[in-house]
Every structure is written in C-alpha cells, then in structure tokens.
Amino acid sequence: MISSREEVTQQIVSTKVRKGIKWSEVASAIGLSKEWTTAACLGQMTFDKSQAETVGDIFELSDEAIAWLQIVPYKGSLPTAVPTDPLIYRWYEVVNVYGSTIKELIHEEFGDGIMSAIDFSMDIKREADPKGDRVNVVLSGKFLPYKTF
Amino acid sequence: MISSREEVTQQIVSTKVRKGIKWSEVASAIGLSKEWTTAACLGQMTFDKSQAETVGDIFELSDEAIAWLQIVPYKGSLPTAVPTDPLIYRWYEVVNVYGSTIKELIHEEFGDGIMSAIDFSMDIKREADPKGDRVNVVLSGKFLPYKTF
Amino acid sequence: MISSREEVTQQIVSTKVRKGIKWSEVASAIGLSKEWTTAACLGQMTFDKSQAETVGDIFELSDEAIAWLQIVPYKGSLPTAVPTDPLIYRWYEVVNVYGSTIKELIHEEFGDGIMSAIDFSMDIKREADPKGDRVNVVLSGKFLPYKTF
Amino acid sequence: MISSREEVTQQIVSTKVRKGIKWSEVASAIGLSKEWTTAACLGQMTFDKSQAETVGDIFELSDEAIAWLQIVPYKGSLPTAVPTDPLIYRWYEVVNVYGSTIKELIHEEFGDGIMSAIDFSMDIKREADPKGDRVNVVLSGKFLPYKTF
Amino acid sequence: MISSREEVTQQIVSTKVRKGIKWSEVASAIGLSKEWTTAACLGQMTFDKSQAETVGDIFELSDEAIAWLQIVPYKGSLPTAVPTDPLIYRWYEVVNVYGSTIKELIHEEFGDGIMSAIDFSMDIKREADPKGDRVNVVLSGKFLPYKTF
Amino acid sequence: MISSREEVTQQIVSTKVRKGIKWSEVASAIGLSKEWTTAACLGQMTFDKSQAETVGDIFELSDEAIAWLQIVPYKGSLPTAVPTDPLIYRWYEVVNVYGSTIKELIHEEFGDGIMSAIDFSMDIKREADPKGDRVNVVLSGKFLPYKTF
Amino acid sequence: MISSREEVTQQIVSTKVRKGIKWSEVASAIGLSKEWTTAACLGQMTFDKSQAETVGDIFELSDEAIAWLQIVPYKGSLPTAVPTDPLIYRWYEVVNVYGSTIKELIHEEFGDGIMSAIDFSMDIKREADPKGDRVNVVLSGKFLPYKTF
Amino acid sequence: MISSREEVTQQIVSTKVRKGIKWSEVASAIGLSKEWTTAACLGQMTFDKSQAETVGDIFELSDEAIAWLQIVPYKGSLPTAVPTDPLIYRWYEVVNVYGSTIKELIHEEFGDGIMSAIDFSMDIKREADPKGDRVNVVLSGKFLPYKTF
Amino acid sequence: MISSREEVTQQIVSTKVRKGIKWSEVASAIGLSKEWTTAACLGQMTFDKSQAETVGDIFELSDEAIAWLQIVPYKGSLPTAVPTDPLIYRWYEVVNVYGSTIKELIHEEFGDGIMSAIDFSMDIKREADPKGDRVNVVLSGKFLPYKTF
Amino acid sequence: MISSREEVTQQIVSTKVRKGIKWSEVASAIGLSKEWTTAACLGQMTFDKSQAETVGDIFELSDEAIAWLQIVPYKGSLPTAVPTDPLIYRWYEVVNVYGSTIKELIHEEFGDGIMSAIDFSMDIKREADPKGDRVNVVLSGKFLPYKTF
C-alpha cells in the first residue's frame, strides 16, 4: 500500500541512482522540458496518464505508483523553511538580498500585481565563459495585476 | 548622527516617493543596470565614491549619508524568513517548489558545486504576450565547483 | 518625512477613531467595495491618484502621505505568522482544518492549479438567521492551471 | 493495531488513489456536502456509526478503522504553520493580506465578536467566466458576540 | 495623535501605578466583574461609551483615548508564543500537560465540538486552605457542537 | 521491547477505541477523578503499582507496559507549541487573551507568586443552560509566594 | 510618564554604570542576598516599600519609578528563547545536556513532582582552586509532589 | 545494525524499566557519581572501555552497543528548544528569570568570562526541611576568563 | 532499496563503530585530507568512482550504496538551526560573537564580497601548549568580490 | 543617559563612518590584534580603563560611554539565529556542512571535550593566490576535556 506521493518520489530517486538514469533522458521520453519533468518526478507536478506510464516504465513502478503520479501532490520540496543545502540556499539568498529590488522593478514596469509562479516556466542552461562557465536561468511568469473590486 | 545604513535607505525611499523619482532614472545617472542600482539604493550593495555622490545629489543626502553609501552593508532585505508580500513570496515559492529540481539539473550538468549569488547578475524585462504580458527574468551566476582537498 | 506606508496607515487609523469615520463611507466616496477600500486604507492595496486624493481629504492627509498611498506597499497585515486575534485566528483555523479539503475539491473539479489570491474578490455580508445572524463571505478567485512546459 | 486516526486517513487516501474514487461520490453515498465529507475523510471531522460504515464499505476498511472514524480526531491538516503548498498558501495569503480588513468589516457590522469556525459551513463551486473560470467559495459562520460579565 | 490601543493601555497601566488604583475598584465603578474589567483595561475587550467615560475619568484619559477604548482591539496579551512569565507559564503548562485530557473529557461528555472562548466567563477567587491558600478559578464556556452540512 | 511511555499510551488509546472503553469507567475502576485518570492514561501522570495493574487489566497491557505506567513520564501532550486542534486552541487563546488579566488579579489578591500547576486539581462538568449547555471547569492551584532570600 | 518596569530597570543599569555601584553594595543596603537583590533590580522580583525607597536613593529614582519597583513585573530576562550570551548559554547548555539526568535523579529520590523555581534560593560563590578558581552555585528548591485527585 | 547512540540509550532505558534498575546502583558499579553516570547512560557522556563493559553487563547490551558507549555522542537531551516537561522547564525558567542576575554576579566577582559547562560537576541531594524537603543542587564550574589577543 | 544518502551515512557510521575504523585511515586510503574525507563520509561531499569504491571496501557497502556515494547529496549536517552539541555550538557561538568582526575585517581588507565556503579548505591540528594543548584550525576560502552590473 | 552598550556601539560605528577610521588603526592605538579590537568596539568584549579611554579619544565618546566600554556586555552580534548577510552566512554554512566533521576529527584526536570559544584567538589574513586571493583564517582554541566526576 502506498500512502503518499513521497513514497513514489523515493522509489524514483532510488531507481535513478541504481540504474544511472539522467533527468534529461526522462524529459526526452515524455517530450517535455527537463525542468518540468524533473519537478514532476520529484513530486511537485502532476503527470497525465500517458506521461505517468512512460515514467513508470523508466523507473519500474507498480500500477499503484503510476496512479499516484496522476494525483495532484502536496507541493514544497524543502525540508526546512530556510534551506541548508548550499546550492539551494544561494537561491534563497537571491530572494533575500534582491527581493525588495525585484519587487520595486516589477512594480515600476507593471504597477501593482505579481509575477505568477503557476503560469510560469524555467530554463536552466550552461553559459560558456572564459572566466569559468556560468549557470544561466531564464524565468518567465505571467504578470497578474491586482484589480480593484 | 546616522547609525546604520537602514536610515539612509529610508531617506532614499522617502525622497523617491516625495519627488516621484524612478529607479531607472537613477540607474541611468550612475550608468549601471536598474537591477544593481536599485539593490544598492535599497541598502544591499556598496557604492563607490562617485556613484555615491550622484545618488546623494538625486536624493538630497547629507555628506554623512553619502559616506554610509560607501560602507559595505549588512545584507538581507526581508523582514521575515518566509516573506509575506505576495510578489516576493512567489519567488520564495519558486525556490520551494523548484528548489530540488534546480539542484538536480545543475548537478547533472556541472557536477557538485553551486551557482554563485555573488558573481551574479540579474535582468528583469517585460515580455509581450497576447495572453497577457509576462515578467522575464534572466539570472546568471558563475558555477563554482566543490574541490577535494 | 514619511519613510513607510505603515506610518500613513497609522495616521488613517488614528483619524478614523478620532473622527468616527466608517469604512463603508470611505468606500462610497471612492466608489469601490468596502472590502477593497478597507484593505487599501490598511496598507495592502495601491490607490490611483484620484482615489488617493479622496482618501487624503477624508483622513486629512498631507501631500506626502497621499503620494505614499499611490506606491505599491509591502503586503501582509499580521504581526505574527499564526495570528493571535481570535477573529483572525478563526480564519487561520479554517485554512488549517479545511485546507486539505479545499485542495482536494478544487483539484477534483479543475485539476492541478490554484485559486488566485490576486485576481480575487471578497464580499462580506450579514446573513439574517433566527438562531443568530451569520457572517457570509463570498470569495471569488480565478482558477490558474499549472501548465507543462 | 491502529494507534491514530492518521493511519485511517492514510488508508482512505491510499485506497482512493488505487480505486479512483471521487470525493463527490463519497458525499453522495453518505448524503452530505462534498466539503464536510472530504474534511471528515481527511481526518478532521467525526462520522456517526452509519456514516462510518458507509465510508468503511467504500474504502474497504476494517472494523477497527471504522471505530476510529467515530472518534473525535486531533484536528489540523497542515504539516507546517505556514503551508508550503501553493494552493493552500494562497488561502493563508488571503488571511494575511485581508485579515485586518475582515476584522474591521465584521466589527463594523456586528461589533466585538467573531465569525465561528465551528458553527460553520463552506461551499466550493466552479463559476464560469469567459476570461477563465473561477473558484467561488461561500463561507458561512455564525457571529458570536463577546459578552461582558 | 494616538495610533493604537496599546498606547492607551500603557497610559492606563502607568496611571494605575502612579495613583495606586486597584482593578477591583475600576470594576466596581463600571459595575462588571473584575475579570472582564481588567481584560478590557489591558486592551483585550471593547468598552461601550459610558464604560469608556468612567474608565477615562479614573485614569485621566483624553477624549481621543476614550474613543479608542470603544474600538475593538487586536487581541492577544502575550509578547511570545510560549509565555516566559512564571505565573502565566503555569497556565500554558496546564494546557500543555492537561490539554489532551480536557479534549478527551469534553468529547466524552458532549461529542465533537469546542468550549467557547467567546461566550465565556471566568471567576478568580481566593480559596482558604490550612495548608496554604489556593487560587480557585471557574471557567464557563458554551459548548459549541460541530455540525454536519 | 518498549522504549518509551508513548508506546504504552498508544496501546491504551488503541484498545480504548477498539473496545469502546470510557475514561469515566477507568476512573471508577481506580477510584480517582476522571481528570487525573485520563491525564495519567494519556502519559502525563505516574500510576502506583495497584493502579497500574488495574489499568493494565482494562487495556490488556503486558507486564512490561504495566511497569512503564509506574515510571515518571516526560510530560507535555501537545505536538506543537501553539496547538492546532480547535478545542485545545481555545484554551491557548484564553491564556493568550486573559493571561495578563489572570496575572494582574492573582497578584492583586495574593502579591508576587504563582498559582501552582503541580499542587493542582481540575474538575470538568456539564452546566445545563437553556441557551445551550456549557462546559464548566474549576481549577484549583495552591498559591506559592516568591520569597526574599 | 513611565509605562513599564523595563524603563526603571534601564535607569538602574544606567546609573549603576555611571556611578560605579556594585550589586553587593545594594544588597547590603537592603539587607538581603546579592542574588535576590540583583534579580529584583533587574526587574524580576518585587520590592516592598522600604526596599524600594532604599533602591530609589541609591539609583536616584523618581517617586514614580519607586512605585513601579513595588509592582509585580512580567518576568523573563532573556531577549531570545535560546540565549546568545556565552555565560548564560552555558547554563542553557547545562539544562540541555543534563536536563534528562536531573529529571531522572530527582524522580529516583522523590518520586513524581518538581523542584520549585518559586520557593527557591540561589547562592553564587568563588571556590578557590589551584587549577583555576571555580564558580560554585548552590540551588535550593522545595520539592513539590504531584498529587492524585 | 545500530546506527546511533540513541538506539543504545533506548535499550538502556527500556531494560532499566523492565528490570527495575536504579541509577544509583549503576553509579556504584562503575564507581562514579550518580549524576555523571546517569548523564552517560542517557547518551550525553562517553564511557571508557571498562565502564562500558560494566554498563553492558547491567543492561544486557550487545558488543556493538558496548562499542557505541565508547563513542562521543551528539549531545543535547531535550526534544524542543523550550522544554515542555514541568520539572525540566523549572530549570529553564531559572535560567530565564535569573540568567541576567547570574551573569552580573559572576562578572562582578570574576570579570569577563564564563562558568564552564565542560570542566563542570553537579551534585543533587535531598535537603530535609520541616516545611517540606528540598532539592539541593551544587554546580561547580571552572571560571574561564576571556583574554585579549 | 536505498532511498537517500543518509541511509548510506548511517551504514558508514555504524560500521565505523563496529570495526573501530579511524577517519584518518579512510583519508589515507583515498589519498585526501582527513577533513574532506570525513565530510564526504558523513554525507556532505561527492566521491568519484574510485574513491567511492575504496570507501565501499572499507565500510563493506553494497554496489547500490557505492552508487549513492557518487551522487551529490543534500547538504547540511545539523539536526537543528542552532546546534545543541557543545562542541559544535562553540563554533556557532564564534560565528555569533565574532560574526560582525569577521565581516568588518574582510571588508576592510578586500572590499565588498565574501569568503567562499565552496572554494574552501580546512585543516584541523593539535597545537601543543604547556597550559593545555589547543585545537588549531586553518580555514582558507577564496575571496569573491561583488561586481557591479 | 545611556542605557545599553549597544548605544555606545552605534556611536562608534557612526563616528567610524563619518571620520573614515579603520579598525586596524584602532588596534594599533590600543596595542592589540585587529580581531580582538574590532570585536570589542562592536560590543562583544570588555575594555580595561586605559583601552577604553584610548577608544573614547578616537571615537569622541563621553565619559559615560567610556564607562560602558568597561562593563561586560551581553554578547551575540547577529540579529537572527540564521544570519542573512552573505558573508556571515558562509560561516554559518561552514558550521552546518562541516560541523559533524569538525566534531568527529577533534574527538578522534583529543577524545570527548570541546574547543574553547573563550580561551580562543582568531587571525584573519590575506593569502595571495594567482587564481584569486584568499581569506586565510586561523582559529586557536584550548581543548577542554570533559571529565568524569
């Protein structure tokens, strides 16, 4: 009996290590970006039936696990409110140090509202640089204005 | 007597509202990006002497305040560990929901290490879209590998 | 010198008590709902120029304060993460006790996504009831689906 | 041996995924709203004997599990004080951003007291809208006045 | 300008110390219990006009302060979630050690529901005892049943 | 092997549900109040040998479990510092809203000191009331004065 | 106008530094231990009239401040739940590392109950030692047994 | 396979209850104080080989468990930063209420530095008293001065 | 099935105790410093294939566990934000007491930027001292300057 | 009237910025290391009379402020338990990532005990490096063994 999506995520992660699967391979198999695919495999997104079956094949999942992949999960991938992992912390730090800046500039350009984290996409790429390659990330989120009512 | 950078930040913010100054105008005046300039005006970065004087002119700051702009500040722009403001929270949510994904994909591409938040830049743009304009943000951070020793 | 929207909110609240103004009167004056108007007066929404001037007249605000009303505020109206005030706590309790239910039922109806808190409106009414009048609240938020990418 | 209601909730959730049951079907079977029924199945409400047996049939529960459904549970459905799941967080955000507004308007209408979260009901519906369907939620709670003593 | 009820509470507390007023005297003057009166003076309850004026006379308050006494306050009298003061902590400890007991016994007697903290009264008395006098506290709260809907 | 009192508490709770035992029956069997008995069964108090054996008979406990009932437990019955369960939260709210009042009135009557939570008893009763029955709770704690030294 | 005991404590501490007063001198003047006297001067205990006047003379306090010294304070002398100051942290560490030991040994000797922190005294002395002098602290607290009821 | 000292502590505690062993007996067997011995058995100190074997005999531990007793443990015996157990909380309260006093008096006697919690001992005794026996605790810690460098 | 690096760490720690292995021996076997090697064995660094196999031999790990050693772990070795273990706490205290000093002096020497914790090494040595041997730790981290953009 | 060491620290910091003083110059003037001197100026250490007067001359302090410099301060220089400033956070991260490693290796070399943060010194230097200069920090703390008693 599987009682949470986390159990399925652990099976996926475990099989990935054991079989040496890459996230980009999984993404190719289901025909979507590596970013969305990885998030979904890590229990943050919902697969449709055919995607879930493909993922199930790759990670040797049971039918029950495949059913769970099609259920909307309880989201949030971090074990603590302030992440301890250095890579993820740097992102938290960007939000902390540049948060007020991001807020000011989006409001200066668009007025009151937010950048959606739902109608949202993300693209992570290597950016070659003679002084040391860089991680280049493009975030795109729909601007949603606050409305009066 | 000014006893912290925060007091200078409050003077800048106050004058900005009173005089209707835009961050992009300040950025033009000092010849740097609107992102870095805003972060610096909000007390997160350090100005050099000539930049500080330009900012001092724009915001009618005293010599003492201008001296403070050249001192490295204690950084962190958020009043709580989990931000309450909806615009900034959406970024925290991105880190929370996609944090493990970002970690996996950077490691898949680069191996163990981090994306620097210091050797870092950010560019925020409007992205026209018939279904509603989007906020497009490009983050670029140098990859820093963990080394054995 | 005013250095934050909170100071303006305190002036509004102070004048409201001193002069015995009602939120519904302010709402009538600017021609919007009492819910949006109150949220805006309490520092959670952004007024346009003409609304700000009307509010300024009612609460005897300075030009500087009126300028602040047109600046997007840092939002969040609660002093602690878990509110201590009994009326507001009951709402926190509803989210806590019924949160997983709300999540399940919205997903059952709409699939993966959220109910927007930005493209959102709220209407609070008295509902007469022989066993004791009730508070009736209608919340309406656009459904925003997660998309694959 | 079952030692907490949570174990029964996990069995229900697990069976729901495996058999593809809908909450609205469970609600029809016991003749109550989908909101109350879901909350009860998720361990937040107490079933009477006949309801518990119906639920037990649907989810193939043991007699011991059915007994647990009739015991008042320790309530609270969220794993953290500030929820990380985006759908539930939006509700927390509504309480945070509009909390002081809700408080002001209920007091303006009713005087000092609260909106009950116990003598309370909730109705979640799809609201068709050409610009994108909306989630419409009606909350109804008895007003309980503070009394002097 | 008074911008919060807390300022009025501080004036009351300050004058009480300076003039040596007793809470029971204030209670007599407004004709209510010492428990409700003290809670109200400490900023947790709302006075009506005539009570507020009596309190204003006793504590030499301005008209503006008297107006504030008639506004519903943001409640919660403790500076930290877990109180540090030993007298108040013992009450927190009672809730912590006996909380599950209280829950079990009220449910055993009444079924699912709560003991109201709104339709509530409290009476604190000295109880003579040869082994050392005791504090006797009677709490009375209406039972509010959860209802199905 | 049993390694904590909590395991015994879980066995008791589990058996109580399975066999439909009432706390008041257990109290009668050991000849003490339902309040103390329930607290002890829930792992907050220490049974003597004969009480432990009676409890062991009722809940079908092993000798090892009966030995654990006679060991002083680590007390505290709540999973979080601020309880989420509505019934228990109302008590936390009473401490929060009336805490400073309780402190003031006990000091006004007794001087500096505390109301003991150790030399303490509690009595929970149904109080019939035409407007809805009430929960009546009497708390009695010895006053312990601070002494100079 | 003085609105809290903390203000009086700050005056005492400020005058102590300015005039170079020692706590032991204050203790001699009021004829009590240096431990109780210091705690009282730091806002944790309540002076009687004559003690308060002596303290008022030493620290040049106003009549209003002297009145405050006779009011029971809200206790707790640490700014954070886990103290940052190294000297005080070592005591927190003793409670953390030896807490379960202290509990076990007091229960082994006395049965269920506590060591009172109210009917309590403390004596801090220098203990000469050739390997480096030691701080010797004697704590004495009445044992208070839990009783059945 | 044993993967942490905590498992060994649980075995010790479990066997202690089952066999009715006293800490003072264990202390006699290894020839050290009951305070140090109990702390060590509860996973806060490190045994040498011969002590570990004695403890292993008493509590019927495996060779692997005996090996663990000789490994320096991760210390800290409390499940929460602020302890909920009443006996241990009283000690936390002493640190909270008297913490600033202890700090002042040690500095008045010794200058800047701390009382060591490492070069430290503790002695817990019953102190007979006609008004009720007392717990008498002597703490002795080396004074460690801060040095300039 | 292994579902996290923590399980592998527990196997390593468990085998280390059982077989009496020293970290310096493991370091010699893989030809790196004892500091890096220990951190890696404790789940904070990533081994390459040959290192992982050597470690696997020493600690008798399965192929699956050896595969996990080559996966970048989620880092952070402390169970609480403020560590309770006295040895580790002293380091936290150094950061707390000397943190602002370290910041000031690095900025005085280098300007705005940070000392890297990624391009970083650490060397821990015994420093003989007649007054008691000392722990000597050398930390070396690349200075990374903030750049304007 | 100065009521805390923090006020003196703010005066020092303010004057430092206004007059462009360097910490190394202050250190030279009092003849101690720049590390100790900076910590002391930032309110973490205690000056003797002659040092305080020198510091008073440099920063133009009043006699009262100079008296405060000679009083042992309440230590801890960080505004939050987890520091937000990137430079200081990296040190927190070192403690988090390498904390268990440091613990293991000090115990492997010295047995059970700690590295003192009191009998402690720190030296921060620039380390020239063709790939970018490094910050080199040497920490030296006396090893303090736990003793049996």
Side-chain angles (χ1 to χ4, degrees), chain F residues 9 15 22 24 26 31 45-47 49 52 56 66 75 83 89 92 96 101 103 105 108 114-115 117 127:
Chain F
T9 301
T15 305
K22 282 181 180 292
S24 52
V26 185
M45 299 289 152
T46 311
F47 288 103
K49 188 158 191 303
I66 290 170
K75 294 165 186 173
Y89 184 82
Y92 178 81
N96 210 322
T101 295
K103 179 173 172 65
L105 293 175
E108 187 159 304
I114 63 156
M115 170 180 169
E127 180 186 342

Side-chain angles (χ1 to χ4, degrees), chain I residues 23 77 81 92 96 126 134 140, chain J residues 77 81 92 96 104 134 140:
Chain I
W23 296 118
S77 70
Y92 178 79
N96 211 322
R126 178 187 286 263
R134 301 177 75 81
S140 169
Chain J
S77 71
Y92 179 79
N96 210 322
E104 288 289 324
R134 301 177 76 81
S140 169

Side-chain angles (χ1 to χ4, degrees), chain B residues 13-69:
Chain B
V13 168
S14 177
T15 305
K16 179 178 184 293
V17 172
R18 188 165 43 80
K19 299 181 59 177
I21 299 163
K22 282 182 179 291
W23 295 119
S24 53
E25 296 163 1
V26 185
S28 297
I30 57 169
L32 288 167
S33 70
K34 66 185 183 306
E35 288 78 10
W36 188 89
T37 305
T38 305
C41 287
L42 293 174
Q44 302 298 317
M45 299 288 151
T46 311
F47 288 103
D48 67 20
K49 189 158 192 303
S50 123
Q51 293 161 348
E53 283 166 356
T54 303
V55 169
D57 279 355
I58 295 172
F59 293 107
E60 304 172 354
L61 302 174
S62 66
D63 284 356
E64 194 179 352
I66 290 170
W68 270 99
L69 292 178

Side-chain angles (χ1 to χ4, degrees), chain J residues 2-15:
Chain J
I2 295 171
S3 60
S4 74
R5 175 75 176 266
E6 282 194 8
E7 290 176 40
V8 183
T9 302
Q10 288 188 342
Q11 289 175 25
I12 287 175
V13 168
S14 175
T15 305

Side-chain angles (χ1 to χ4, degrees), chain I residues 109-145:
Chain I
E109 175 66 30
F110 290 92
D112 199 354
I114 62 154
M115 170 180 169
S116 181
I118 307 298
D119 188 334
F120 171 85
S121 67
M122 167 185 277
D123 185 25
I124 302 176
K125 281 197 301 276
R126 178 187 286 263
E127 181 187 342
D129 189 305
K131 283 174 288 183
D133 285 4
R134 301 177 75 81
V135 185
N136 181 289
V137 183
V138 181
L139 310 174
S140 169
K142 192 177 179 183
F143 179 75
L144 305 178

Side-chain angles (χ1 to χ4, degrees), chain G residues 13-88:
Chain G
V13 168
S14 176
T15 305
K16 179 178 184 295
V17 171
R18 188 165 42 78
K19 298 182 60 179
I21 299 163
K22 282 181 178 294
W23 296 118
S24 52
E25 296 163 2
V26 185
S28 297
I30 58 170
L32 288 167
S33 70
K34 66 184 183 307
E35 287 78 12
W36 188 88
T37 305
T38 305
C41 286
L42 293 174
Q44 303 299 316
M45 298 289 151
T46 312
F47 289 103
D48 67 21
K49 188 159 190 303
S50 125
Q51 293 161 347
E53 283 166 356
T54 304
V55 168
D57 279 356
I58 295 172
F59 293 106
E60 305 173 354
L61 302 174
S62 67
D63 285 356
E64 194 179 353
I66 291 170
W68 271 98
L69 291 178
Q70 303 171 53
I71 300 295
V72 183
Y74 190 93
K75 292 163 188 175
S77 70
L78 303 180
T80 51
V82 177
T84 62
D85 182 79
L87 187 144
I88 301 179

